[in-house]
Amino acid sequence: MCSLEKRGRVYVLSLTGDNEHRLNADLIAAVRSALAKVRAEYAAAPNGSALVTAAEGRFFSNGFDLAWANAAGSPSASLQRLSSLVALFKPVVADLMSLPMPTISAVNGHAAAAGFMLAISHDYTVMRGDRGFLYMSELDIGLPFPPYFMSLMRAKIADPRTLRDVTLRAAKITGAEAKATGIVDSVHAGADEALQAAMRMGEELAARNWDGGVYASIRMAAFPDVCRAVGLPAEDAEQKDKTIAAKL
């Protein structure tokens, strides 16, 4: 369902297979396991590192596994299944927001709903320009946004008109549009080129050899609403003082 390897200084987490990479309990658990391994390896031997998340095939991720949810047998059971996926995915966002290194998503194709959220949970996003779009499908299928989705979108989609179009028009945003509105950092000719660009950025950022704990602390301070929404504890003044003292 996913693989993890390290290329030089860069960890590469890949959603494997030529499918829609629907986020079900198994895939979510596999992603969390990979992120836990990255965190543990960094803790054991802190050094300049970065994470790139990519996917094989035509999709980055088409969101939650709605077919599984809808097969529950009744509307209430389907809603319960969907709610379980919403709850399971929240810690993935928390893991990425607190990871002690720069993170980059390489969007190789469609990224919809929770798949879109997975992409923008990273510090940087690069995207292919020849196909694929970013799309929040909830309005079209009659579902409200989980509160942490809204917090993440408010944090990562700075232009209010773009946020309006993503949430209230269910707009399908192409790579060029995403770059123009600041949702993604760069657009590339194809999936391979996008991944190569993400790897270059990862190597450049890892080479800065920043303190991962400080990096994660600054990230969380930059996006406090997202962190609160996914249950990350706020760093108190005493913790910050200890971090500073350790550097003196």
Side-chain angles (χ1 to χ4, degrees), residues 15-247:
L15 307 183
T16 56
D18 188 11
N19 55 62
E20 295 185 10
H21 306 300
R22 288 280 184 171
L23 291 159
N24 53 34
D26 290 339
L27 179 53
I28 291 170
V31 170
R32 290 208 69 201
S33 177
L35 294 175
K37 182 177 181 180
V38 170
R39 189 186 300 271
E41 289 188 3
Y42 179 84
N47 53 44
S49 301
L51 171 78
V52 168
T53 300
E56 297 175 354
R58 298 179 299 118
F59 291 84
F60 181 74
S61 170
N62 214 17
F64 290 136
D65 190 345
L66 298 182
W68 172 78
N70 291 331
S74 70
S76 61
S78 294
L79 180 59
Q80 186 174 8
R81 282 189 174 188
L82 180 59
S83 296
S84 73
L85 295 178
V86 171
L88 287 172
F89 183 66
K90 184 189 289 190
V92 175
V93 180
D95 291 343
L96 287 165
M97 293 301 297
S98 61
L99 202 69
M101 63 189 66
T103 62
I104 307 149
S105 58
V107 178
N108 60 305
H110 302 317
F116 188 174
M117 296 300 93
L118 177 62
I120 64 172
S121 293
H122 294 72
D123 301 326
Y124 302 91
T125 298
V126 303
M127 186 175 177
R128 70 185 296 178
D130 61 325
R131 60 164 286 119
F133 49 75
L134 307 176
Y135 169 47
M136 295 305 291
S137 59
E138 282 80 352
L139 184 61
D140 283 339
I141 61 178
L143 292 171
F145 292 116
Y148 71 95
F149 278 28
M150 285 302 310
S151 295
L152 187 56
M153 286 187 284
R154 285 195 299 267
K156 296 299 186 84
I157 304 175
D159 179 63
R161 290 173 297 182
T162 303
L163 180 62
R164 175 202 63 197
D165 289 347
V166 167
T167 58
L168 297 176
R169 194 163 63 86
K172 294 180 179 179
I173 309 295
T174 65
E177 291 167 337
K179 173 65 169 64
T181 55
I183 301 174
V184 306
D185 296 279
S186 60
V187 176
H188 304 273
D192 290 343
E193 290 84 354
L195 178 57
Q196 291 166 10
M199 293 298 298
R200 288 194 299 271
M201 182 185 294
E203 285 289 355
E204 291 168 4
L205 293 170
R208 302 293 297 272
N209 206 33
W210 290 315
D211 181 295
V214 171
Y215 187 91
S217 174
I218 291 172
R219 181 202 287 121
M220 290 188 287
F223 300 107
D225 291 343
V226 177
C227 292
R228 280 193 294 270
V230 297
L232 285 172
E235 183 180 39
D236 60 30
E238 183 179 354
Q239 288 174 313
K240 290 182 179 179
D241 288 345
K242 287 180 180 179
T243 300
I244 293 171
K247 297 297 179 182

